[in-house]
Amino acid sequence: MALKTTRWDITEYLGSDEEVAAYLEAVFDTGDPDEIRAALGHVARARGMTEVARSAGITRAGLYKALAEDGNPSFATIAAVVKALGIRLKLAA
């Protein structure tokens, strides 16, 4: 009997603001810009790329490109996406 597997998708576990906050906090703690870019992409997909792009003032295709695995979004794009997602970044020493 063959083992049946399904692809695990983080976006299925990002339904609440608390889940999103915990996920992003853990990723931001790594300090890895590639992981942060990917995590913002996961949250944007969970919230709906079209709506996030519209709120961020960029095209849907531009948002996909910026947050793609080989994407290199500008800080302005990251700031717009964070704002569109309704996330507030807090700095602490």
Side-chain angles (χ1 to χ4, degrees):
M1 184 163 144
L3 177 65
K4 182 178 178 182
T5 62
T6 58
R7 185 172 178 95
W8 187 80
D9 187 355
I10 185 66
T11 62
E12 296 175 14
Y13 302 92
L14 299 174
S16 72
D17 290 342
E18 293 79 16
E19 292 164 338
V20 168
Y23 175 57
L24 290 177
E25 184 176 350
V27 172
F28 271 82
D29 280 348
T30 70
D32 182 335
D34 289 332
E35 291 294 321
I36 293 168
R37 179 204 30 80
L40 289 172
H42 297 148
V43 175
R45 280 191 311 130
R47 297 280 171 94
M49 291 294 266
T50 301
E51 182 58 35
V52 172
R54 184 175 318 146
S55 295
I58 59 179
T59 65
R60 183 174 176 269
L63 181 59
Y64 270 108
K65 183 178 178 181
L67 300 178
E69 187 173 331
D70 62 344
N72 188 18
S74 68
F75 185 76
T77 299
I78 294 296
V81 169
V82 166
K83 184 176 181 181
L85 292 171
I87 299 167
R88 288 184 347 162
L89 300 178
K90 294 182 180 182
L91 303 175

